[in-house]
Amino acid sequence: MRRFAVGDLQGCLAPLQALLETVAFNPDRDQLWLVGDLVNRGPDSLDTLRFLYRIRDSLRITLGNHDLHTLALARGATERGRHSTLQALLAAPDLPELVDWLRHQPLAYRPAEGDYLMSHAGIPHIWSSDQALALSRELEATLQGPGLDDFLRDMYGNEPAQWDDNLRGVARLRCITNYFTRMRLTGSQGELEFDYKDTGDNLPDGYRPWFEWAPHSPRREKLIFGHWAALQGNTGRDEVIGLDTGCVWGNCMTMLNLETGERVSQPCRRG
């Protein structure tokens, strides 16, 4: 079995299909890992989800902030940020089926081999890998349970901006969500900074890219993430792999062969 990981799709189906054709991807034999932000901003959110749903048995997915926002829109939990590129998806007759499938995806994924740990925005240095997976399961239980709509209404916001094991209720779930789906910079104690989206230069005082802090607990896995398009996948660390190379902004979509380390890129057209 071959495993391939791809950066943020954001509704850009044609580049994904071109990459799959380049590597002769076979859903009966291969796995496709997706770091999240499957939809929104790009031209084909509906067709992208329908395509992924058809090959769902070969996929390993972690949800991103745009995916959670799409869930909130689809479930009527918010009207804010209703992007025009989601109109076809939100009006589709198979929306309930697609949304139900989406809400059953995790926030963090580690295979049985234990060689990689994938999430949309990364894993903060203050969490061990096992803790991150346990916190992902907490949030997944909410997404898959009767409290889904209450959570989706309450998930927006920047507070609390620092993890505390004693957090409970909505504050705890929102904090977990923000680390997994919105993180770029953190402070030495894991404090989140939400405004910075640049390349890693001219940082606000006391903050660094999350992957530049030494993890409190050693990791056996290589980390795979997306979310931060401005980095163009450059982390400066072999053990931290960035895959968002800004396809939706007219740059390229990147696919990584997890067995060989080979990267393949597909140029993208903005819009």
Side-chain angles (χ1 to χ4, degrees), residues 146-243:
L148 170 64
D149 293 330
D150 288 340
F151 164 71
L152 291 173
R153 279 191 293 270
D154 293 331
M155 72 174 174
Y156 298 94
N158 295 343
E159 297 295 334
Q162 184 175 355
W163 178 250
D164 185 326
D165 288 338
N166 295 315
L167 288 171
R168 295 291 181 268
V170 170
R172 183 180 179 89
L173 293 173
R174 185 188 299 123
C175 195
I176 295 170
T177 300
N178 285 340
Y179 276 108
F180 278 130
T181 68
R182 298 179 61 206
M183 177 175 64
R184 291 187 180 92
L185 302 185
T186 67
S188 62
Q189 302 305 309
E191 311 95 314
L192 287 161
E193 199 283 338
F194 293 103
D195 296 327
Y196 187 90
K197 298 181 180 181
D198 212 338
T199 60
D201 299 321
N202 302 315
L203 300 174
D205 289 345
Y207 289 92
R208 300 181 193 171
W210 62 267
F211 49 81
E212 290 192 359
W213 298 102
H216 288 184
S217 299
R219 302 194 195 280
R220 303 184 307 275
E221 318 90 347
K222 290 185 177 181
L223 302 184
I224 299 174
F225 75 105
H227 183 59
W228 198 343
L231 293 179
Q232 286 293 290
N234 298 316
T235 66
R237 282 165 164 72
D238 292 338
E239 74 281 8
V240 182
I241 302 166
L243 288 179

Side-chain angles (χ1 to χ4, degrees), residues 16-266:
L16 172 64
Q17 291 178 321
L19 284 172
L20 294 176
E21 183 176 351
T22 296
V23 301
F25 181 83
N26 185 332
D28 294 327
R29 295 195 303 263
D30 302 327
Q31 275 186 7
L32 178 62
W33 294 24
L34 300 171
V35 300
D37 279 3
L38 310 179
V39 295
N40 205 5
R41 288 206 172 109
D44 300 309
S45 287
L46 174 58
D47 289 341
T48 296
L49 272 195
R50 283 175 170 168
F51 172 77
L52 297 176
Y53 187 72
R54 288 197 296 272
I55 63 168
R56 59 190 179 276
D57 290 342
S58 66
L59 301 182
R60 302 295 181 269
I61 293 171
T62 55
L63 296 176
N65 49 305
H66 285 282
D67 306 317
L68 292 175
H69 180 60
T70 299
L71 282 178
L73 289 169
R75 302 276 302 189
T78 187
E79 285 296 319
R80 71 180 83 183
R82 183 177 280 272
H83 201 284
S84 60
T85 60
L86 289 174
Q87 288 180 355
L89 172 60
L90 295 175
D94 51 345
L95 177 67
E97 184 176 21
L98 296 173
V99 164
D100 189 62
W101 170 67
L102 202 59
R103 75 185 183 106
H104 282 82
Q105 306 310 312
L107 278 294
Y109 171 72
R110 183 175 64 190
E113 296 88 339
D115 49 354
Y116 290 98
L117 176 57
M118 178 172 70
S119 60
H120 179 61
I123 305 293
H125 68 286
I126 57 172
W127 291 350
S128 70
S129 298
D130 287 345
Q131 182 183 13
L133 289 162
L135 294 172
S136 174
R137 289 191 292 271
E138 280 190 37
L139 189 51
E140 290 156 33
T142 298
L143 292 175
Q144 297 166 23
L148 170 64
D149 293 330
D150 288 340
F151 164 71
L152 291 173
R153 279 191 293 270
D154 293 331
M155 72 174 174
Y156 298 94
N158 295 343
E159 297 295 334
Q162 184 175 355
W163 178 250
D164 185 326
D165 288 338
N166 295 315
L167 288 171
R168 295 291 181 268
V170 170
R172 183 180 179 89
L173 293 173
R174 185 188 299 123
C175 195
I176 295 170
T177 300
N178 285 340
Y179 276 108
F180 278 130
T181 68
R182 298 179 61 206
M183 177 175 64
R184 291 187 180 92
L185 302 185
T186 67
S188 62
Q189 302 305 309
E191 311 95 314
L192 287 161
E193 199 283 338
F194 293 103
D195 296 327
Y196 187 90
K197 298 181 180 181
D198 212 338
T199 60
D201 299 321
N202 302 315
L203 300 174
D205 289 345
Y207 289 92
R208 300 181 193 171
W210 62 267
F211 49 81
E212 290 192 359
W213 298 102
H216 288 184
S217 299
R219 302 194 195 280
R220 303 184 307 275
E221 318 90 347
K222 290 185 177 181
L223 302 184
I224 299 174
F225 75 105
H227 183 59
W228 198 343
L231 293 179
Q232 286 293 290
N234 298 316
T235 66
R237 282 165 164 72
D238 292 338
E239 74 281 8
V240 182
I241 302 166
L243 288 179
D244 184 1
T245 46
C247 178
V248 77
W249 306 114
N251 296 317
C252 66
M253 186 177 290
T254 296
M255 172 181 281
L256 173 69
N257 185 318
L258 297 182
E259 273 59 62
T260 68
E262 179 184 6
R263 293 185 184 229
V264 181
S265 294
Q266 175 65 32

